């Protein structure tokens, strides 16, 4: 099974203290792991980069999404699953055909994001510009930063509204609880260092406020030898699946109607001392016919409104130049 192969390969590089790059698809069906020193030019990345705030380009994105009717059918199915107690939170995503004036290489060069990846091989061709860290490891401590809750910063009292929204609070709290449990499997003394803090994110022609939390825990000495075990045991990431994780993943596979592939997987780097990684959201892939598709989504709870969730799905389709 690929999950076991991935675990063993990352454990090997960690044991050797060999700097390496990796990316893993959402369902473990695809992965790539290689030494930094021999990484091919077709793979480019930036980890934890500072915002450039250029805003020099007009970024028009034409969107051809699934209909609201089709989305509502999926939404209603999930609401029924919530009522039956099978799940409490699900991250429903969709694949939207788009048209832009930019190639994936141009998007990678121009885009402003904390985590960026340009990846191409014979089967996969995508660019990712994610604001969301998965886990970071430094000096025997592991950190994760679940991100859940977004609002347009131009809305009056935006910060107060997002922090005071009951639905958003419930969604974020559930994700934090899930990630605490995930960390507890691989580490000790889990604690929430910061709960629901705000970051401002450049979203092309607007700024978004994004709600995150910071969770930390202690790892054993020589965690490098178990790095693959640590990472794979926490996947898929809780922020892009839901809770309880196993059942929620089954429900999402049943209803989403497309393959996520690398979207909502992770990528990252071990530099020989520290480890950092990102959840692959804000994601555009290109098929063999040069058609571009943007994959996006949002969290669904019992308090969710179908119209607002559909609008969020489309709002997240943007180019942050």
């Amino acid at each position: 099974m690929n999950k076991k192969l991935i675990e063993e390969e990352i454990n090997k590089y960690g044991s050797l203290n060999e700097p390496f790059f990796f990316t893993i698809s959402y369902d473990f069906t695809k992965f790539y792991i290689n030494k930094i020193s021999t990484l091919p030019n077709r793979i480019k990345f930036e980890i934890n980069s500072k915002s450039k705030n250029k805003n020099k380009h007009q970024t028009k994105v034409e969107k051809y999404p699934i209909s609201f009717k089709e989305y509502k059918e999926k939404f209603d199915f999930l609401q029924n699953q919530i009522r039956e107690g099978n799940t409490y939170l699900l991250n429903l995503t969709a694949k939207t055909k788009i048209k832009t004036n930019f190639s994936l290489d141009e998007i990678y060069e121009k885009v402003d994001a904390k985590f960026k990846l340009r990846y191409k091989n014979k089967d996969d061709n995508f660019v990712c510009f994610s604001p969301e860290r998965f886990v970071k490891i430094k000096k025997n401590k592991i950190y994760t930063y679940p991100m859940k809750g977004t609002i347009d910063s131009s809305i009056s009292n935006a910060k107060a509204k997002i922090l005071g929204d009951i639905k958003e609070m419930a969604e974020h709290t559930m994700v934090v609880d899930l990630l605490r449990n995930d960390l507890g499997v691989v580490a000790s003394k889990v604690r929430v260092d910061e709960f629901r803090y705000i970051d401002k994110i450049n979203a092309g022609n607007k700024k978004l406020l994004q709600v995150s939390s910071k969770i930390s825990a202690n790892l054993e000495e020589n965690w490098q030898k178990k790095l693959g075990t640590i990472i794979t045991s926490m996947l898929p990431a809780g922020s892009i699946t839901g809770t309880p994780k196993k059942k929620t993943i089954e429900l999402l596979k049943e209803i989403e109607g497309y393959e996520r592939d690398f979207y909502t997987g992770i990528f990252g780097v071990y530099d020989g001392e520290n480890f950092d990684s990102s959840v692959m959201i804000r994601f555009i892939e290109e098929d063999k016919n040069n058609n571009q598709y943007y994959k996006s989504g949002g969290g669904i709870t019992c308090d969710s409104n179908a119209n607002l969730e559909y609008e969020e799905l489309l709002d997240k389709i943007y180019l942050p130049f």
Side-chain angles (χ1 to χ4, degrees):
M1 184 182 174
N2 279 352
K3 185 174 182 179
K4 193 67 179 171
L5 287 175
I6 294 165
E7 179 183 341
E8 291 172 352
E9 190 78 355
I10 294 178
N11 282 345
K12 181 188 76 175
Y13 280 121
S15 297
L16 297 170
N17 279 333
E18 176 70 59
F20 68 91
F21 164 89
F22 76 97
T23 184
I24 304 169
S25 69
Y26 167 72
D27 61 358
F28 297 101
T29 56
K30 300 175 181 179
F31 66 95
Y32 180 83
I33 305 168
N34 202 349
K35 293 190 292 187
I36 296 289
S37 59
T38 59
L39 203 63
N41 292 333
R42 59 185 171 79
I43 298 174
K44 300 175 184 177
F45 66 88
E46 289 186 24
I47 297 280
N48 198 30
S49 49
K50 302 296 182 186
S51 176
K52 303 176 184 66
N53 289 320
K54 291 179 180 176
N55 287 324
K56 291 180 180 176
H57 309 280
Q58 294 297 315
T59 55
K60 182 174 174 56
V61 180
E62 293 180 39
K63 309 172 187 180
Y64 305 90
I66 64 172
S67 67
F68 177 71
K69 179 176 180 292
E70 186 179 350
Y71 180 84
K72 181 72 162 48
E73 288 172 359
K74 299 177 190 295
F75 179 90
D76 289 344
F77 169 82
L78 297 180
Q79 285 296 328
N80 189 54
Q81 294 297 318
I82 292 171
R83 281 191 293 272
E84 291 181 3
N86 294 324
T87 182
Y88 308 101
L89 167 67
L90 308 96
N91 201 73
L92 178 61
T93 73
K95 180 178 178 179
T96 300
K97 186 174 182 179
I98 62 167
K99 286 185 180 178
T100 74
N101 296 323
F102 304 100
S103 69
L104 297 190
D105 287 326
E106 288 173 322
I107 291 170
Y108 176 83
E109 293 301 329
K110 296 175 185 295
V111 84
D112 188 9
K114 185 176 285 189
F115 299 94
K116 294 166 54 173
L117 174 61
R118 177 71 179 99
Y119 182 88
K120 186 175 184 179
N121 63 18
K122 63 183 179 63
D123 298 314
D124 300 283
N125 185 18
F126 67 83
V127 63
C128 171
F129 37 97
S130 177
E132 183 172 358
R133 176 176 268 122
F134 177 50
V135 297
K136 178 173 76 171
I137 303 176
K138 188 173 185 178
K139 293 182 179 177
N140 299 338
K141 289 205 75 169
I142 184 169
Y143 305 86
T144 189
Y145 302 79
M147 185 177 278
K148 193 62 75 172
T150 308
I151 192 171
D152 187 335
S153 66
S154 66
I155 293 172
S156 177
N157 296 319
K159 182 176 179 180
K161 283 181 178 174
I162 190 73
L163 292 178
D165 188 294
I166 293 172
K167 180 259 180 183
E168 295 288 357
M169 167 68 99
E171 188 179 331
H172 193 96
T173 301
M174 282 188 272
V175 169
V176 167
D177 194 48
L178 176 60
L179 268 293
R180 283 175 63 246
N181 290 337
D182 283 352
L183 276 190
V185 173
V186 299
S188 62
K189 295 184 179 177
V190 180
R191 56 174 287 171
V192 179
D193 298 307
E194 294 181 69
F195 183 66
R196 298 188 84 213
Y197 62 86
I198 298 285
D199 286 320
K200 185 174 278 192
I201 294 173
N202 179 19
N205 60 352
K206 64 172 127 178
K207 296 286 192 296
L208 300 177
L209 299 184
Q210 183 79 61
V211 185
S212 300
S213 288
K214 178 184 177 182
I215 310 169
S216 67
N218 296 342
L219 291 173
E220 296 177 359
E221 295 281 345
N222 297 320
W223 54 265
Q224 297 88 344
K225 295 179 179 179
K226 298 179 180 177
L227 183 54
T229 309
I230 292 167
I231 298 307
T232 57
S233 68
M234 295 181 66
L235 293 176
S239 62
I240 48 73
T241 50
T243 183
K245 190 187 282 190
K246 187 173 185 292
K247 181 61 177 178
T248 300
I249 290 169
E250 292 172 6
L251 294 172
L252 290 172
K253 185 171 180 60
E254 180 179 348
I255 199 63
E256 283 190 327
Y258 81 104
E259 295 298 326
R260 291 191 184 188
D261 285 333
F262 278 101
Y263 169 60
T264 65
I266 65 169
F267 81 94
V269 167
Y270 173 64
D271 65 8
E273 289 185 14
N274 306 309
F275 177 86
D276 207 348
S277 59
S278 173
V279 181
M280 289 193 282
I281 56 175
R282 313 296 188 268
F283 185 100
I284 303 173
E285 68 181 19
E286 196 168 281
D287 66 15
K288 299 283 198 292
N289 298 315
N290 300 319
N291 296 309
Q292 292 181 348
Y293 296 90
Y294 202 118
K295 295 177 178 179
S296 62
I300 308 294
T301 70
C302 62
D303 296 315
S304 293
N305 176 288
N307 290 285
L308 295 177
E309 294 298 342
Y310 183 70
E311 189 179 309
E312 181 179 338
L313 181 87
L314 302 185
D315 282 348
K316 284 180 176 173
I317 300 173
Y318 64 84
L319 293 174
F321 291 177

